[in-house]
mmCIF file of all heavy atoms in Angstrom:
data_model
loop_
_atom_site.group_PDB
_atom_site.id
_atom_site.type_symbol
_atom_site.label_atom_id
_atom_site.label_comp_id
_atom_site.label_asym_id
_atom_site.label_seq_id
_atom_site.Cartn_x
_atom_site.Cartn_y
_atom_site.Cartn_z
ATOM 1 N N THR A 127 -3.678 -0.799 7.131
ATOM 2 C CA THR A 127 -2.803 -0.871 5.954
ATOM 3 C C THR A 127 -2.728 0.459 5.223
ATOM 4 O O THR A 127 -1.820 0.685 4.450
ATOM 5 C CB THR A 127 -3.271 -1.940 4.946
ATOM 6 O OG1 THR A 127 -4.479 -1.509 4.312
ATOM 7 C CG2 THR A 127 -3.420 -3.299 5.576
ATOM 8 N N CYS A 160 -14.880 0.177 10.551
ATOM 9 C CA CYS A 160 -13.854 0.964 9.855
ATOM 10 C C CYS A 160 -13.226 1.995 10.785
ATOM 11 O O CYS A 160 -12.067 2.364 10.620
ATOM 12 C CB CYS A 160 -14.460 1.687 8.652
ATOM 13 S SG CYS A 160 -14.791 0.617 7.265
ATOM 14 N N ALA A 161 -13.974 2.451 11.757
ATOM 15 C CA ALA A 161 -13.485 3.467 12.679
ATOM 16 C C ALA A 161 -12.739 2.865 13.868
ATOM 17 O O ALA A 161 -12.149 3.597 14.663
ATOM 18 C CB ALA A 161 -14.660 4.301 13.192
#
Side-chain angles (χ1 to χ4, degrees):
T127 71
C160 285

